[in-house]
Amino acid sequence: MSRSRHTALFALITVAALTLTACAEPAGPAGGGSDRASSKGKTPTTDVVSKVRKDEAAAKLLPAGVREAGTLRIASSVGAPPGAFYGEDGSTVAGADIDFADAAARVLGLELKREVASFEAILPALGSGKYDLGTGNFGVTDVRRRTIDFVTYINDGQGFAVREDSGLKKVTDLTQLCGLDVATGAGTTFEVTLQENLPRCAEAGKKPYNVKTYADQAAVWISLQQNRSDVVMSTINGLRYAVSQQEGLRFLNEFKRLDVGFAFKKGTPLAPAFQAAVNRLKEDGTYDRILKKWGTSESAIETSEISPPELK
């Protein structure tokens, strides 16, 4: 599918791209915008990055070669708002992940050379050295920590959404999904969670649920809208945002919280500098302004950490 076709389709299904939603309210005095990024209106365009200044103490934590080069290669997964998505022109990327990465880079005095890559391809590419860091709402899990280093910047996690006519009220145990078609993103923690728990349906004497994975986030929502799936499992922030833009859908509930971070090759020397950059953004107020812009203030963390244990 071409990028322009992808953008048009995504706009049709999620009312995001050409009529992508967000902040209908004007920005406040601090330039923070509305805290209701999911309210219907135009895509939030409040500039919360350009005034970020370099912090010398944080920049000194970078390897000398990186400071001299002044650039890093970043791979960004572009899927759906509020994390990362294509703007109205079909080529410019926007979203909370984009703002956080760009703001952290400014703190460190770096320019990011961004390349859009598929979610499932980014973590392996970090290991091969193709990119220096990656973004894509990568949840910090113990399995991923074996091969990837993370610098946390938000807390998001796993949740569910359904059509309005669904009999599901709240999913507290995955055996409640037995016999249903569950749509989710390929290569995600959602797919892993679903596959790991699939045998539990048979153990309970129930028909197993069917996991339907899609590389394209728009396809996930199409499957739900067209009754080809019964429930969607995805990010809490992404689900809340998407259902606010689509008729006939509802957010079901949070299932599990996860820290989310910038992803790096295991053993990277870049992690301390990016941790300092995130914490600097919290100190100068930029951090809260980014969350407010995208309506995700509930995802704030107290302090950035390097590869913390998975939240249980």
Side-chain angles (χ1 to χ4, degrees):
M1 182 183 292
S2 68
R3 179 175 294 175
S4 61
R5 172 66 174 160
H6 173 277
T7 303
L9 181 61
F10 188 68
L12 175 65
I13 299 302
T14 66
V15 198
L18 297 180
T19 54
L20 243 165
T21 83
C23 191
E25 301 172 31
S34 166
D35 198 26
R36 292 292 299 169
S38 60
S39 62
K40 293 186 178 181
K42 288 188 175 182
T43 307
T45 57
T46 306
D47 180 3
V48 291
V49 174
S50 66
K51 293 183 179 180
V52 175
R53 296 292 175 256
K54 180 178 179 181
D55 182 81
E56 294 296 341
K60 285 181 180 179
L61 297 175
L62 290 167
V66 174
R67 290 200 305 273
E68 292 169 7
T71 62
L72 286 178
R73 300 159 300 168
I74 182 171
S76 296
S77 171
V78 176
F85 58 95
Y86 287 113
E88 294 183 10
D89 60 6
S91 60
T92 302
V93 292
D97 285 347
I98 306 303
D99 282 348
F100 273 119
D102 289 350
R106 291 184 70 89
V107 171
L108 298 174
L110 299 173
E111 177 184 357
L112 296 179
K113 302 295 185 180
R114 178 173 281 110
E115 181 177 325
V116 173
S118 64
F119 179 91
E120 63 270 25
I122 292 178
L123 298 186
L126 293 173
S128 70
K130 183 177 181 179
Y131 307 112
D132 298 305
L133 72 154
T135 59
N137 202 282
F138 289 112
V140 181
T141 68
D142 291 337
V143 171
R144 284 177 173 168
R145 290 194 306 132
R146 296 171 189 167
T147 56
I148 297 293
D149 280 343
F150 294 93
V151 173
T152 61
Y153 59 94
I154 61 169
N155 176 273
D156 196 350
Q158 304 175 342
F160 296 96
V162 294
R163 292 184 300 277
E164 285 285 3
D165 61 3
S166 173
L168 283 174
K169 302 302 180 184
K170 185 176 183 180
V171 177
T172 57
D173 190 293
L174 294 183
T175 57
Q176 293 171 257
L177 302 177
C178 296
L180 301 179
D181 290 319
V182 186
T184 195
T188 61
T189 59
F190 319 113
E191 181 184 7
V192 172
T193 298
L194 290 167
Q195 294 292 356
E196 286 180 345
N197 286 273
L198 192 56
R200 296 181 57 209
C201 289
E203 293 168 1
K206 299 180 179 180
K207 180 182 177 181
Y209 50 76
N210 179 34
V211 182
K212 307 180 76 168
T213 60
Y214 300 90
D216 185 343
Q217 187 66 23
V220 173
W221 292 108
I222 292 171
S223 73
L224 186 64
Q225 290 278 26
Q226 296 184 349
N227 296 312
R228 289 186 281 110
S229 62
D230 302 300
V231 57
V232 166
M233 187 178 189
S234 190
T235 66
I236 295 167
N237 288 338
L239 291 171
R240 289 186 186 279
Y241 196 106
V243 300
S244 72
Q245 307 310 314
Q246 301 179 74
E247 297 295 333
L249 302 183
R250 59 185 167 89
F251 177 74
L252 204 57
N253 65 283
E254 296 183 9
F255 184 70
K256 178 182 179 180
R257 280 277 174 175
L258 285 173
D259 287 321
V260 172
F262 299 118
F264 302 85
K265 180 180 180 179
K266 190 70 176 177
T268 179
L270 298 172
F274 272 81
Q275 179 189 31
V278 174
N279 287 329
R280 176 57 187 159
L281 293 173
K282 288 187 68 68
E283 292 172 3
D284 70 13
T286 302
Y287 182 90
D288 288 336
R289 286 190 284 273
I290 294 174
L291 290 180
K292 186 175 183 180
K293 173 182 176 180
W294 297 107
T296 56
S297 295
E298 292 180 357
S299 283
I301 57 175
E302 291 186 8
T303 186
S304 177
E305 298 181 88
I306 298 175
S307 298
E310 179 180 347
L311 295 176
K312 302 297 184 181

